Amino acid sequence: MAKIDDSVKKKVPELRFKGFTDEWEERKLGQYTKLITKGTTPKDKTGIGDVNFVKVENITNGKIYPINKIKQNEHDNYLKRSRLEEKDILFSIAGTLGRTAIVNKSILPANTNQALAIIRGYDFDTNFL
C-alpha cells in the first residue's frame, strides 16, 4: 500500500459529505466575521436591572433563557464590549463547554460574561458552524 503524504490527507479526508467530491480547504473563522470576542463580568452582582445578562447556564438546547439582569448604565459603559446583538452566535468557552445559541431579538437588550464567546457579522450559514 502506498503511503499518502500528510498534506494530501488534509485536503482529501476519508469522511465525505454526500455530493461533495472536491478537496477541502482550511479557512480561519476570523476571516469570515466582523468580531470574535468574549463577554465581561459585571461589577454589580446583585442581578437587578433592566438588561438581560446571559450566562452559560442560561443556554439549553440552543435556546437562551436569561434569568439574571444588569443595570442599563453598566450595560452601556463598563460592559459595552460584550453587548449582544441579534444573530450573534454564542458558545461556551469555560465551565460547561460546547453550549451554543444564536441571539434572538426577543432577549435584547442583553449582555454576557467571559464564559461565553461571541461571533458577530459572519459570512456563512449559522447551522453549519
Side-chain angles (χ1 to χ4, degrees), residues 12-123:
V12 186
E14 290 180 30
L15 176 64
R16 306 300 289 184
F17 296 102
K18 186 177 180 176
F20 185 84
T21 58
D22 296 337
E23 290 184 353
W24 288 51
E25 180 181 330
E26 183 177 320
R27 297 182 181 185
K28 297 197 182 274
L29 184 59
Q31 294 174 316
Y32 297 91
T33 63
K34 290 181 184 172
L35 174 74
I36 300 175
T37 191
K38 63 180 182 172
T40 309
T41 301
K43 291 179 181 179
D44 180 356
K45 308 232 190 309
T46 62
I48 299 169
D50 298 321
V51 177
N52 287 316
F53 191 74
V54 180
K55 297 180 177 182
V56 174
E57 55 266 27
N58 303 129
I59 297 176
T60 305
N61 297 322
K63 304 280 186 208
I64 301 169
Y65 302 96
I67 298 169
N68 299 306
K69 302 283 185 179
I70 57 173
K71 292 184 172 91
Q72 186 73 46
N73 184 46
E74 192 166 22
H75 174 70
D76 291 337
N77 294 296
Y78 177 70
L79 299 175
K80 185 177 183 177
R81 179 179 69 87
S82 53
R83 287 187 290 194
L84 298 177
E85 295 180 9
E86 184 178 10
K87 297 185 181 179
D88 281 352
I89 297 173
L90 300 179
F91 64 95
S92 56
I93 57 174
T96 304
L97 301 176
R99 290 189 184 184
T100 62
I102 299 170
V103 175
N104 187 302
K105 184 178 178 180
S106 66
I107 71 157
L108 298 177
N111 209 297
T112 189
N113 69 5
Q114 75 281 1
L116 287 166
I118 305 165
I119 299 175
R120 178 176 298 148
Y122 43 87
D123 186 23

